[in-house]
Every structure is written in structure tokens, then in C-alpha cells.
Amino acid sequence: MNVSLSKKNVFLLLIVAYFFSFLIRMIWVWQFQDNPNFYWNDQIMINTNDGYFFAAGAQQALFDMHQHNPRIPDIYSYGMVFLTTWLVKLTPLSLETVTLYLPAVISSLVVIPVILIARLYGQALWGFFAALLGSIAWSYYNRTMVGYYDTDMFSAMAPMFILYFLMKSTIDFNLRSALYAAIAISIYPFLYDQGASIIYAMGIIYGLYLVWYHREEKLTYSSLLLVFLAMIPFGLPAPYEYLAHIALVVAAFIVLSKTPISQKYLMGASAAAFIALLFFGNVFGIILGKMMSYMATGTKAEGLHFYGVHQTVREAGKIPFDVFAERISGSVPGLIVAMLGYLLLVVKHRAFLLALPLMGIGIFALWGGLRFTVYAVPVAAMGAVYLFYLMGSYFGTKKAQYGLVVVATAALLYPNITHIIDYKVPTVLTNNEVRDLQALKEVAKPGDYTLTWWDYGYPVWYYSETSTLIDGGKHQNDNFIISKILQTSSAELAANLSRLAVETYVNSGYQVVADTLFKNRQKDQLDPNLMLSEMELPSYNLPPKTRDIYLYLPYRMLNIFPTVTQFGNLDLNTGKPLRNVIFYPVSLAAQNETLWQFNNGIVMDVKKGELHLGEQKSEVRLLIVTENTQKGEVHTKAQPYHAEGKYIVIYMKSYGQFVLMDEETFRSTYVQMFILGKYNPDLFELVVSSPYSRIYRLKK
């Protein structure tokens, strides 16, 4: 079924596939374009928290903001920030518009290497149909949709370009193809900083492939030298690291092209470059470390026992096979077809062995989590459509052959497009939540800190121009600090720990606060329990105040509060939980005059003041009804039941939300200061109050 197409026709296929990918991504925009809750500055907001990290970097480059925030990325640190900044500078587009649509613009470029790889074998139409599937398949779409402003837009697209040039160099055996691969490898870390393990794996496979199949060829060792040189880290600051790599491989290419060098010396040079890569790049350490970090769970064993974060992130946990299959190909049958097709590709066209790292990382998702499936999507799509092509080759006519390919590809596209239509992911924040952060910006000063859970760190930067202690990229041990502030029943501890943590962070040169405060892993390591108990005293000696500190308590934290408490509900000396935290946000599923049935199966006997948890009965101490006023205040009404009751039930009438909790959790900072609106006026001042969040300024 080989069909030789002209460059013009191939270009048309590229254009059609690209616009198919882009327009499919516009479905989300069409679904939400009339929802004012998702707009800010006349544009729909982005739908990934991490996007605000890069957007804040663009704010700094464009508007000179965030000068006191040590965590803001430099314009040359990330390709995302660089590209975004210059697009805003050189076009009439706003920052909000660029961040919204850039993922769709960049990720759709994946169709180019897919089609070009197929064209290497004279089958551009195979690549075209594979590009349609690979560009919008479940996992790839989820992480590159409109609004998903993150480096994931480069994560699988850029390696496919590298794969294309590597494969091309083994087919046309032209050193120029290896040069292009080396340049793409040099640029990749600038686009996707977490991709070192992917590049190393692809480079090692490339080396093994050439040495196994082409070891007698002199050009093999010239190609390997270029590729290995592109991967050796120099340790230079950005952007000099990337520019140095490009300059080096281009210079090496010129020398190799114009200078006669014996094969023996080329073998030695490429071997030396590989050894340097292993040594300076810590290749196997990075690959294994990356794998182990996503398989880790529980508390850390060395020094103090802080709670590990990876297993609380959904995308980092083990996934069932059917979810794995849907993520890569849209369905279990689709994955089976893709895997069979890829195996046949390796048999028929052995250069597809170079795609093994991408497929292998995708398969690792079964243990490492959802995020890894995205790497296998384009190659899996090529495998699936290739199988259809092979099946079609047994048909009698070209029309029947292509009819099979079209119908079969459409069958695989269907579950993926259905998913896209149903995947109505909201923006990170709503318009009203942003208004609260803008109100904070009005009262805060540059250099002030806002303490909140790490999920909201980057949006807090972007909309309030304050700094945070933890965020999406910096948390780990310091999660303990924020978790303890949010769940402690001592207002003095919350206030003292807030001031001590921020001042320590700034004065220590932005080191990890928990490790600094408790001298973690040092010979004179302190007892955290003793130190925290001392901080409950009003007389605790605090460092001088150098800036204002705010507590940001959003309504949206309600559902993750049980997870938040895990990090601070620890005896750091042993790693064991201090107590059993009970906090169940529930909604009412059914009711009558006597019984309320909640959506998690728990039933409350309103007259007796009892909760029925299956066969177990527990007494309720209090039923509290809260209601928000137009002035942002909270009115409460309490119904006492049993003085020794284990549970307290709060009905947040304005939200239609119930929360079941134990007494100590009831007295926590988050419950008292957000849900009930109660606080110690000697320690805190309420500066923003709405149904969506309450923000307090620390007075100490």
C-alpha cells in the first residue's frame, strides 16, 4: 500500500492533520465560552495550577512584577516563559490569551514528526491517519488541551521530532540527520526540563542500535559522537547551557564533515563521549531515581519522618489496566491493536526499536501513574494504524484497502472524541475566587507572604503578587509547616509558627523551613514536639517582623482538607499519626423528618443525635448550621446533643454542604476561621471575606 506523495501533498496532509488537532481542542472553548465564571480580563482562564508558575515568570519579564519572590522562573530558564513573553511582546495578544491557546498551538505540532516518520517508508497517508489519532488520543489531549498551560505541550511532541531525526539518520545514513537530532536534543531540556531520563534512554537505545546493526560503518561513530555530545551536561546557567550544546554539535559536525578522521579515532571519541555522559550526566541514577520517586510512598525514613507527597497525587499512583489502555489508545481493544501494530512495526522496520523508550515509559505508567502514558500515545497511534494498513494489504482493491483504514481509524477516534466532549474540566479558579486574590493584592505589598496549601501557591503568586512558603514545585517537608498551621487547635501556635516560618525562610536564604527550624538530619537535631508545644505560648520569642503575612483559606480546600491534615498530623520523631483525624465533607442524598442520609452512606438520626456508620452507631455532640451574609459574615446556630458525643456535624447552608468531624478537627484553624468565621482578633485581622475564601492578616 505504498503511495508516493509529492512534497506539496505531504504538506497538505500536515496542514489538515494540524487543524484537525487544533479544532478538536476548541471543543472545550466552545463549551465554556458563555460561562462568565471562567473569565478574567476578558479571556477564559487556564485549567492547570502549574501553568501559573510559568505565567508568573512571564509577568515578571513583561511587567516587572514578583521582584521579591525567589521562586519566579527567569525568562531563560524555561522555553515556556521565553516563548510566552515574546509572543505577548510581538503580537497584539494578551498574556491571558497566549497562555490559554499556546498548549493547543504547540502540542498539535506532533502531527509533523508522525507523518514524516511514516514518509520515511513511503507511506505518508499511514502517518496522516496515525497523526489524527495520536494528536487527540485521551492522555495526550488531557495534558495538552486548550488552557493546559504547562510544559506537557512539549513532553511528547519534542521527543517525536528527536525520534524522527534519529530514525532518519539510520535510514538515509546522512550525518546531517544526526546533527538535527543532536540540535533537537540540545533544545529539549529548555522546552521540558524534566525530560533528561527520556533523552538519556533514547540516546542509549540509539547507540545500541547503531553498534548492533551498523558497527562496520564509519558514519555510525560520527553520528553517535554528535548525539552523545548533545546530552552531556555542562552545568552552565540557562540559556548558555543550551546555546553551548548547539554550538558544540554544530562545530563537531563541521569538523567531522570536512576533516578525514579514521574510524578507529571516531570509535574512541564516541566511546569517550558516552563515558563522559554516564559520568557527568548520572544517567542511570536519574532514570532509576525518577522511577523510584514515583513509586515511593509513606513517610521518609532518614532524619525526621515527614510524610511523602507522591502518593497523595492522583497522577502518581498505580492505575488499573483499563485506565492505562484508555489513556494511551482510548480503549482496551485500541491498546491491543496498537501494541500488536508496534510489534509488527519493529519486525518490518527495525528502526522503530528507537521508539522503545517512549513505549517503555508509557508502560511504566501502570506503576508510576497517569502522567507517563502520554509519551506512548503518538507511537501507539502509529502502531494501530499500521496494523490496519497491513490488514488492508490483503484486500483486492485500493478503495477497499483505504476504506478499511478509514473506518478502523474512525473507530479508534470515536472513544477519544467522546471523551473530549465529556471532559469538561473547569478552570483552576472562578472569577469570584480571583476577585478575592485581587482584593488581597490591593492590601498586600510586594514581599509579603501568603500561607496556604501548595495547590494554590502559583495562582496566589499570579493574582495577588505575594509570595508563598510552599507551591506546586516546592513543598515536601514544608508541607508539614502549613498543614500544622491549618489543623492546629491553638491560634497562638498558628500565629507563632506562621511568623517564625516566613522569617526563617527569608533569613536562611530560602532554605527548607522545616529542616532549618528542626535542624533535620543534623547532629543537634531538635525535638519538633517540644518546639511546637513551646510555640503555643503567647510569650514565645519570635524574630523581628519584616513583612506582612496572610492566611488564605479557600472554600475549595474543604474537599482536600483530609489530605492536607496527613502531612501535619505526625509525630516527626516516629512518623506515626498523632491521632485519627475525622473530616468527611458530604452532601444530602435523602431525608425525612427523622433521618438524613448522606452520599457516602452515613445516616444521621436528627432526633436522637446519632450517626449510623453501617452497623456502628456514634453520638453527635453538636449540629451547627452556618449561613453567609451579604457582608461576608457567618451566622451560626447550634443544636447540642450529647455532651460526650464523638462527632460534630456542620451544615453549611449557603453551600448545601455538610461536614462530619471530630472535636479537635472542629477546633482547627481552617474550620474555625473559614467555615465558622471565628478568629482571635488579637492575632489576626480579616481582610477579605466572601463565600469563596477568607483571608486573614497576621498581627504578630
Side-chain angles (χ1 to χ4, degrees), residues 287-300:
I287 295 174
L288 292 174
K290 200 75 172 177
M291 292 172 61
M292 294 306 295
S293 70
Y294 280 96
M295 297 173 70
T297 184
T299 56
K300 297 182 180 180

Side-chain angles (χ1 to χ4, degrees), residues 18 43 52 83 106 129 258 263 409 453-454 499:
Y18 181 87
Q43 187 56 270
Y52 286 109
L83 185 58
I106 296 297
F129 289 111
K258 296 185 176 182
Q263 182 170 328
T409 303
W453 196 237
W454 63 265
R499 174 59 63 191

Side-chain angles (χ1 to χ4, degrees), residues 67-342:
Q67 294 301 319
H68 298 274
N69 189 335
R71 294 274 300 137
I72 298 295
D74 180 79
I75 185 174
Y76 296 114
S77 298
Y78 295 92
M80 284 259 297
V81 180
F82 180 85
L83 185 58
T84 300
T85 300
W86 282 104
L87 280 172
V88 175
K89 282 186 175 182
L90 299 177
T91 70
L93 301 175
S94 67
L95 176 58
E96 287 77 13
T97 297
V98 171
T99 57
L100 179 68
Y101 290 106
L102 191 62
V105 172
I106 296 297
S107 64
S108 294
L109 294 173
V110 75
V111 304
I112 297 175
V114 170
I115 293 175
L116 292 181
I117 288 172
R119 187 170 179 261
L120 292 174
Y121 302 99
Q123 297 182 356
L125 280 172
W126 154 42
F128 170 73
F129 289 111
L132 298 182
L133 177 60
S135 64
I136 60 100
W138 199 311
S139 182
Y140 190 68
Y141 171 82
N142 282 13
R143 305 189 75 85
T144 61
M145 64 186 293
V146 170
Y148 202 92
Y149 179 70
D150 200 351
T151 53
D152 290 85
M153 68 179 79
F154 301 107
S155 63
M157 179 274 292
M160 287 302 292
F161 274 99
I162 295 171
L163 177 64
Y164 165 67
F165 290 123
L166 291 177
M167 292 180 67
K168 189 173 186 295
S169 74
T170 68
I171 294 172
D172 64 15
F173 238 64
N174 187 321
L175 187 60
R176 191 174 296 274
S177 297
L179 170 66
Y180 295 150
I183 292 174
I185 288 170
S186 300
I187 296 172
Y188 187 54
F190 184 51
L191 303 177
Y192 189 66
D193 63 309
Q194 302 177 52
S197 57
I198 301 166
I199 294 303
Y200 289 160
M202 293 182 75
I204 291 172
I205 289 292
Y206 181 65
L208 292 173
Y209 179 90
L210 286 185
V211 171
W212 182 263
Y213 289 111
H214 302 283
R215 56 182 171 273
E216 303 300 327
E217 302 286 342
K218 181 179 178 180
L219 196 62
T220 286
Y221 305 101
S222 298
S223 299
L224 288 178
L225 181 59
L226 290 180
V227 169
F228 291 152
L229 286 176
M231 292 190 291
I232 299 172
F234 298 151
L236 299 175
Y240 304 110
E241 175 82 9
Y242 318 119
L243 295 175
H245 273 110
I246 294 172
L248 177 62
V249 297
V250 170
F253 170 77
I254 294 172
V255 171
L256 292 170
S257 300
K258 296 185 176 182
T259 306
I261 303 175
S262 70
Q263 182 170 328
K264 178 181 178 181
Y265 285 115
L266 287 174
M267 291 175 67
S270 60
F274 181 65
I275 292 172
L277 171 63
L278 293 178
F279 180 77
F280 293 107
N282 186 28
V283 173
F284 297 109
I286 288 178
I287 295 174
L288 292 174
K290 200 75 172 177
M291 292 172 61
M292 294 306 295
S293 70
Y294 280 96
M295 297 173 70
T297 184
T299 56
K300 297 182 180 180
E302 57 181 34
L304 296 173
H305 295 68
F306 293 95
Y307 194 82
V309 70
H310 282 299
Q311 293 305 109
T312 67
V313 182
R314 184 173 179 265
E315 66 178 18
K318 295 180 180 179
I319 57 175
F321 181 79
D322 59 337
V323 174
F324 166 75
E326 288 172 348
R327 285 284 177 150
I328 292 179
S329 299
S331 64
V332 173
L335 179 65
I336 294 172
V337 169
M339 291 301 181
L340 287 175
Y342 176 70

Side-chain angles (χ1 to χ4, degrees), residues 261-470:
I261 303 175
S262 70
Q263 182 170 328
K264 178 181 178 181
Y265 285 115
L266 287 174
M267 291 175 67
S270 60
F274 181 65
I275 292 172
L277 171 63
L278 293 178
F279 180 77
F280 293 107
N282 186 28
V283 173
F284 297 109
I286 288 178
I287 295 174
L288 292 174
K290 200 75 172 177
M291 292 172 61
M292 294 306 295
S293 70
Y294 280 96
M295 297 173 70
T297 184
T299 56
K300 297 182 180 180
E302 57 181 34
L304 296 173
H305 295 68
F306 293 95
Y307 194 82
V309 70
H310 282 299
Q311 293 305 109
T312 67
V313 182
R314 184 173 179 265
E315 66 178 18
K318 295 180 180 179
I319 57 175
F321 181 79
D322 59 337
V323 174
F324 166 75
E326 288 172 348
R327 285 284 177 150
I328 292 179
S329 299
S331 64
V332 173
L335 179 65
I336 294 172
V337 169
M339 291 301 181
L340 287 175
Y342 176 70
L343 291 175
L344 288 171
L345 271 175
V346 171
V347 173
K348 295 282 186 178
H349 306 296
R350 66 190 185 195
F352 271 90
L353 284 169
L354 300 176
L356 268 176
L358 298 178
M359 293 296 286
I361 293 170
I363 292 171
F364 175 68
L366 284 167
W367 301 273
L370 296 174
R371 67 180 305 155
F372 294 101
T373 55
V374 67
Y375 300 101
V377 168
V379 179
M382 296 195 75
V385 178
Y386 183 73
L387 182 61
F388 301 149
Y389 261 73
L390 284 184
M391 293 170 60
S393 65
Y394 294 100
F395 283 44
T397 65
K398 293 287 185 182
K399 184 176 181 180
Q401 292 170 357
Y402 281 101
L404 171 65
V405 174
V406 170
V407 171
T409 303
L412 292 189
L413 283 170
Y414 177 77
N416 290 289
I417 293 177
T418 301
H419 161 72
I420 290 169
I421 294 171
D422 294 336
Y423 193 62
K424 298 178 181 179
V425 57
T427 54
V428 173
L429 300 178
T430 64
N431 177 282
N432 289 308
E433 289 173 304
V434 173
R435 289 182 188 279
D436 287 351
L437 290 176
Q438 287 283 293
L440 171 60
K441 184 178 181 179
E442 293 298 319
V443 299
K445 304 179 297 295
D448 289 348
Y449 273 71
T450 299
L451 303 186
T452 188
W453 196 237
W454 63 265
D455 294 52
Y456 319 117
Y458 299 149
V460 165
W461 295 359
Y462 186 82
Y463 290 114
S464 75
E465 204 182 349
T466 57
S467 303
T468 59
L469 194 61
I470 58 175

Side-chain angles (χ1 to χ4, degrees), residues 12-81:
L12 288 174
L13 291 180
L14 291 171
I15 294 298
V16 172
Y18 181 87
F19 279 102
F20 171 81
S21 172
F22 185 85
L23 291 174
I24 287 293
R25 283 168 169 76
M26 288 298 292
I27 290 174
W28 182 82
V29 178
W30 295 328
Q31 288 174 329
F32 290 122
Q33 63 182 338
D34 296 324
N35 190 333
N37 292 323
F38 292 165
Y39 277 80
W40 186 257
N41 280 351
D42 299 320
Q43 187 56 270
I44 300 176
M45 293 179 283
I46 61 176
N47 49 47
T48 175
N49 295 61
D50 287 354
Y52 286 109
F53 172 78
F54 305 103
Q59 279 184 325
Q60 185 181 73
L62 290 165
F63 313 123
D64 204 32
M65 297 171 62
H66 310 293
Q67 294 301 319
H68 298 274
N69 189 335
R71 294 274 300 137
I72 298 295
D74 180 79
I75 185 174
Y76 296 114
S77 298
Y78 295 92
M80 284 259 297
V81 180

